[in-house]
Amino acid sequence: MKFSPALQELIEALRCLPGVGPKSAQRMTLHLLERDREGATALAAALQTAVDKVDHCSRCRNFTELEVCEICSDARRDAGTICVVETPADVLAVEQSGSYRGVYFVLMGHLSPIDGIGPEEIGLDRFQQRVVDEGIEEVILATNPTVEGEATAYYLSDVLQREGVKVSRIAHGVPLGGELEYVDGSTLAHAFSGRRPVE
Amino acid sequence: MKFSPALQELIEALRCLPGVGPKSAQRMTLHLLERDREGATALAAALQTAVDKVDHCSRCRNFTELEVCEICSDARRDAGTICVVETPADVLAVEQSGSYRGVYFVLMGHLSPIDGIGPEEIGLDRFQQRVVDEGIEEVILATNPTVEGEATAYYLSDVLQREGVKVSRIAHGVPLGGELEYVDGSTLAHAFSGRRPVE
């Protein structure tokens, strides 16, 4: 025995959300129908609008409803510095730190030859062209400190330095508020090899 | 800085799902747009269909697209026995146990005077009328063993017994496969007071 067809379909459809298993999907379905039908209608509309309208910015590949996103078209930002990140969530994190006034390039992933993701799949060919054409002053690599993120950063720094572009990588080390005791070995190793003279 | 308006709206809308906070909503939104736009479209449609079509069964109050749900209209089921549960999920649980062949009455909640939920809000007045009118043989109370569930069961058994209807409550005790060591005290107390002679 199962729920009625429309309920069963909604339970199945909710499974497309990351981290939602059969039990959560069932709980969500019953919650929406019992207590929040308005919310369900609003969610249906928001989903459809986002799918229809949101696409990639033609300059930085971040998600936007516009042809060129708000950050890329903001004249107050330093268009000569580009920060390369893996995902739109990374852009948000950097923006929230309030420490960066340049523009971005969002890879929407990282190099991963085993999954068939090469430089073209993450837009690196067009990015390289843009950096050269626009005479970009500095490219800051802020991909994740994972194997794939490091490989992507290494690849990019290699091709860009050959073009004579200044390339930097964000610092990795002990996070502020972190206690040495609980920091993992590779991070500590990074912190030591990246040490700077005290002035 | 935030995401673009359509993304921001979808993130807000996803918050209507139980157990979804701002971070999960953001992760879901980016996942859907990056990797599963088809899923998002299907989810939007399923939500709208469920909201438009699903209503309560006119007999048992369970969710259904029909006027009378499949269980209530199934001639092979014993219409003389009604099991009272709190939610549609409880119906599913009892059905999956395969141990019950009667019909149901779904309260869609429980008595909770503090939240303004009295007998009428959970349909008990109509239920009482139906039990009397149809000459129901037995009402099995399967509300949850919580304070509100017990109060609801107590209220129902009181009004139904005054009408001369046979009322029973499902057994509470140590679950099968459970180990005494890990069973809480109130359950154990229930198990002892509800002990039965070995035949």
Side-chain angles (χ1 to χ4, degrees), chain A residues 1 3-7 16 18 26 30-34 36-37 40-41 43-44 47-48 51 54 63 65 88-89 92, chain B residues 1 3-7 16 18 26 30-34 36-37 40-41 43-44 47 51 54 63 65 88-89 92 95:
Chain A
M1 184 265 178
F3 289 109
S4 69
L7 284 183
C16 75
Q26 180 183 313
L30 296 176
H31 170 88
L32 289 177
L33 287 168
E34 278 173 44
D36 200 0
R37 287 182 179 234
T41 306
L43 176 54
L47 280 164
Q48 201 54 59
V51 168
V54 174
F63 283 133
E65 290 103 280
L92 195 71
Chain B
M1 184 268 180
F3 289 110
S4 70
L7 283 184
C16 75
Q26 180 183 312
L30 296 176
H31 170 87
L32 289 177
L33 286 168
E34 277 172 46
D36 199 1
R37 287 182 179 234
T41 306
L43 177 54
L47 279 164
V51 168
V54 175
F63 283 133
E65 290 104 280
L92 196 68
E95 285 297 292

Side-chain angles (χ1 to χ4, degrees), chain B residues 51-91:
Chain B
V51 168
D52 292 342
K53 290 202 186 156
V54 175
D55 207 339
H56 297 288
C57 167
S58 61
R59 287 181 65 78
C60 73
R61 306 224 314 161
N62 198 358
F63 283 133
T64 180
E65 290 104 280
L66 311 166
E67 166 66 20
V68 173
C69 78
E70 283 184 26
I71 294 180
C72 287
S73 56
D74 186 343
R76 289 165 304 177
R77 301 196 67 123
D78 170 16
T81 307
I82 302 183
C83 173
V84 179
V85 294
E86 295 187 21
T87 69
D90 296 338
V91 172

